[in-house]
Structures are given as structure tokens and as C-alpha cells.
Amino acid sequence: MANYEMRKFVVPEFIFGAGARHRVGDYARHFSARRVLIVSDPGVIAAGWLKEVQDNLAQAGVPWVVFQALTPNPKDHEVMAGALVYGREHCDVIVAVGGGSVVDCAKGIGIVHSNRCNITAFEGVDRVNIPGPPLICIPTTAGAAADVSQFCIICNTPGRYKMAIISKSMVPDVSLVDPETTLTMDPYLTACTGLDALTHAMEAYVSTASSPIVDLHALAAIKLLWHNIETAVSQPMLMAARENMVLGSLQAGIAFSNASLGAVHALAHPLGGYLDLPHGECNALLLEHVIRFNAAAAPERYQQIAEAMGIDPRGLSPREVVSRITDAILARRIQLGVLGSLETRGVRAADIPELASHAAKDACLVTNPRRATVDDIKAIYGEAL
């Protein structure tokens, strides 16, 4: 009998390191681009990163057009508008310059154009029949890791929830992972995106679809993120901390793309769609509560997470280990300025049944280490209030 269960492992081509963003023109020419659609957002544009990409493409002799009409928690109608621009301008390659919202919108634009249907048709697992056009990503945050993942998260505005589109067709062709692009993030965004990445790594490690290869990346990510996030927030121009945060986010993305996620994300997605709350902030406020719920289902895994965080589990019971983990996470998020609860973000007890109904259907819940019923989900939301 084989020692290890057979698993598929998918990653895109990527370049990691300072200056990686300057390779965008080379890759556009590699894909024989005749016209590029650059997807970005006003914040990234104001930071100057779009101008650099435009200049690089111009030097490579590749024309471009910009689509920036998107918001955080990208909406279905924004994706459809971007696909219209892509087709109208006769584009054949997409370049995403931004955080997770930008990259997810770019992914959606590509598959809508290729398949000639509404973005809502792809909700779920392996629903993309025709891959999108070549996609080059330049991430500007250390958190979402959409630039290396099989996930695309888009808000279904009529239903007021986030759709998870999961397919290897969602894996970008190339990611240019450049730590320098994260230097313009403000401290709070650094904190929220960093805690999002930490959640990715922890959920991938306890996922029922984990594997030895996933485990290597997940544990490495936890160590990097946990030990560098405070410095990245308090000393935002320190390049060493930024590099480690970006590397941690990259490894967490590789891990969760191949092992999926769990209840934290299943519960966070409805909050983003229903109340338009920031995704990383939602994960940060839910993480400790979900860990307490999951603890009994994966005690050895949480012991190893504790060790990666620098917590010595020797002589502690599994319950005490989990208590140390959750206490440390709470203290760290307060230290980073992620204060309050779901209630302080506008979530009401009356919202919980609607939120729970969406969370119970989220694809991320499938790989959570402990089965969660609707009543369990309601209880977790209630604790996070």
C-alpha cells in the first residue's frame, strides 16, 4: 500500500524578487500580445505601479488599454463590464496589477470572454470549460495570493454573497512577485492582508485535502508570516520584512490553492458579499473562533502550528495548545490595530441566519477538518459578534 494519497499539485510560473515587475513586457511579447488589457484599481494607480507597467509594455512595443472600474470585493457586473472592454478593444492578453480584488476580476474577465457567458455560470468547482487568455499578474499586496491560486472570488450582487470559482483554469500563466510593490501599502492594509495570508496557511495545513507538499509550504508560510508581520506593520519601509511577508504569502497561496481552505473563509465570504466588508479583516476576526471549533478534529496539526508560531507545546494538553494559539492570535491582531468584532463592523444578530445559509454552501467548507452544520456556523458567527 502507498504511504501517501495521490494528489494533484498545480502552480503557475512565477518570478520572485525585487524588480520582477519589470519583466512584464518580456512576458507579453512571449505570449505574442497584440493588445493588452491592464486591470488595476485607483489605489494602485495612485501609488504609481500602473505607470511603470505601461512604460514597460511601451518599451516592449506592446499597446495596452486600462480597465479600472472595479471595487474591493469585485462584483459580477464589474467583471462583465471588463469583459466588454476586453472584446471591444480586441485584446488578447490580460495583465493584472493590484491586490486580490484586481486579480480575481482579471481572472473573471478572461473566462467570461472565452466562454461567452455570465460570470455566475462558473460558480463552484471545475465549471470553466474554456480557459481564459494568457494572464500575467503583478500582485501589490502580501495576502490574497490570487496570483498563484486556483480560486476566483466574485460577488454575486443579486444574491449578496461571494461566489467561489475553483478551477485549474483560474491559475494565472505567470506571476511576477515583487516585494517592492508592497512598500506603498499602509499599515492597516499590511496587517489585514498579512492576517489573511496567515489564515490561508493555517487552513491549508489542517485541510482534509492537505498533502506532504502542501504541508511544507503551509508551515514555512506560518513561520514567515507570524514572525514578520509586526515588523512589516511598524517599520513599513524595511525591505527584509516586506520580502518575508511576500514570500510567506506566496507559499501560503501555493498551499491553499492545492489543499483548499476551511470554515474561516466559508464564513468570511458571505460577510464580504452581504455587507461588503474587507476580506482580510473578516478572516482576522473569525480565525480564533474557528480554530477553537476545529481543535478537537486535528490536535496534532494544531500542535505543529503552535511550534511554527514559536509556542512550545511540551507538557501542554491539546486544549491548552489551542488556547495558547488563539490567545496569541488575538493579542497579535490587537497589536496590529485590527480591533473590535463583527458587531463593530455592522453585523447584527439578525443577519446571522442569512449569512449562515450562504456559508453552509461555500465550497471552502468541504475541506474543513470538522464538519460544520448550519447551527455550528451560527454559533461561530455569534461568538465573533
Side-chain angles (χ1 to χ4, degrees):
M1 178 179 290
N3 290 323
Y4 300 114
E5 186 176 352
M6 183 169 59
R7 295 287 190 196
K8 177 177 68 174
F9 197 83
V10 180
V11 293
E13 180 176 351
F14 62 84
I15 297 179
F16 173 84
R21 65 192 185 279
H22 298 304
R23 300 294 300 275
V24 64
D26 295 336
Y27 275 98
R29 283 189 303 193
H30 172 76
F31 291 121
S32 302
R34 295 187 299 274
R35 191 169 180 82
V36 164
L37 178 72
I38 305 175
V39 181
S40 194
D41 66 30
V44 173
I45 294 170
W49 302 120
L50 175 66
K51 179 65 164 56
E52 286 197 7
V53 170
Q54 291 171 322
D55 290 345
N56 199 275
L57 289 172
Q59 290 169 10
V62 178
W64 44 262
V65 61
V66 176
F67 177 75
Q68 58 170 304
L70 68 147
T71 55
N73 298 317
K75 318 298 186 289
D76 44 13
H77 57 85
E78 294 167 350
V79 172
M80 300 308 294
L84 285 175
V85 173
Y86 182 93
R88 184 183 69 227
E89 296 291 336
H90 305 290
C91 298
D92 54 358
V93 171
I94 301 175
V95 172
V97 188
S101 293
V102 168
V103 175
D104 281 345
C105 188
K107 290 179 176 183
I109 288 169
I111 59 173
V112 164
H113 177 80
S114 294
N115 291 270
R116 310 295 186 190
C117 60
N118 195 281
I119 188 65
T120 57
F122 306 108
E123 181 178 3
V125 180
D126 293 333
R127 301 286 298 277
V128 181
N129 293 323
I130 304 172
L135 173 59
I136 304 167
C137 296
I138 303 175
T140 60
T141 63
D147 55 293
V148 295
S149 84
Q150 301 185 57
F151 285 65
C152 173
I153 308 297
I154 303 294
C155 285
N156 181 311
T157 49
R160 294 183 67 187
Y161 71 97
K162 281 186 172 182
M163 304 179 293
I165 300 168
I166 306 170
S167 167
K168 67 179 181 180
S169 297
M170 292 292 90
V171 178
D173 294 273
V174 178
S175 183
L176 306 177
V177 187
D178 190 335
E180 291 180 343
T181 65
T182 66
L183 291 170
T184 52
M185 286 198 296
D186 65 59
Y188 193 71
L189 181 59
T190 300
C192 288
T193 53
L195 290 169
D196 183 23
L198 182 68
T199 304
H200 291 156
M202 289 184 173
E203 291 214 289
Y205 192 65
V206 300
S207 165
T208 58
S210 64
S211 68
I213 300 173
V214 164
D215 292 349
L216 288 172
H217 290 286
L219 286 176
I222 292 167
K223 291 176 184 177
L224 284 166
L225 296 163
W226 185 256
H227 295 293
N228 285 277
I229 189 169
E230 191 279 328
T231 304
V233 170
S234 63
Q235 301 179 56
M237 299 309 292
L238 186 62
M239 195 61 192
R242 291 294 192 182
E243 286 180 323
N244 284 329
M245 289 299 294
V246 171
L247 181 57
S249 174
L250 173 65
Q251 297 215 72
I254 291 171
F256 90 76
S257 178
N258 288 281
S260 193
L261 293 159
V264 179
H265 277 76
L267 273 68
H269 289 155
L271 290 166
Y274 192 69
L275 297 166
D276 204 26
L277 295 175
H279 175 66
E281 195 175 74
C282 293
N283 280 344
L285 297 173
L286 289 164
L287 179 57
E288 65 206 69
H289 303 286
V290 171
I291 288 175
R292 277 193 286 270
F293 173 79
N294 283 341
E300 292 182 0
R301 293 259 149 179
Y302 283 111
Q303 179 172 317
Q304 289 157 341
I305 286 174
E307 291 173 353
M309 294 168 64
I311 298 169
D312 186 354
R314 289 176 297 183
L316 301 178
S317 69
R319 184 187 295 270
E320 289 171 327
V321 169
V322 167
S323 180
R324 293 282 182 92
I325 292 172
T326 55
D327 287 351
I329 289 170
L330 174 59
R332 180 59 55 86
R333 76 166 173 87
I334 290 172
Q335 178 189 37
L336 297 175
V338 185
L339 308 175
S341 63
L342 294 183
E343 185 176 33
T344 61
R345 270 76 178 173
V347 182
R348 304 166 303 161
D351 298 321
I352 289 178
E354 179 75 11
L355 294 169
S357 70
H358 290 306
K361 301 170 190 172
D362 193 286
C364 294
L365 204 61
V366 174
T367 46
N368 194 63
R370 179 181 173 187
R371 181 177 175 272
T373 66
V374 172
D375 286 341
D376 292 328
I377 293 167
K378 289 178 181 177
I380 296 169
Y381 277 132
E383 290 174 9
L385 280 180

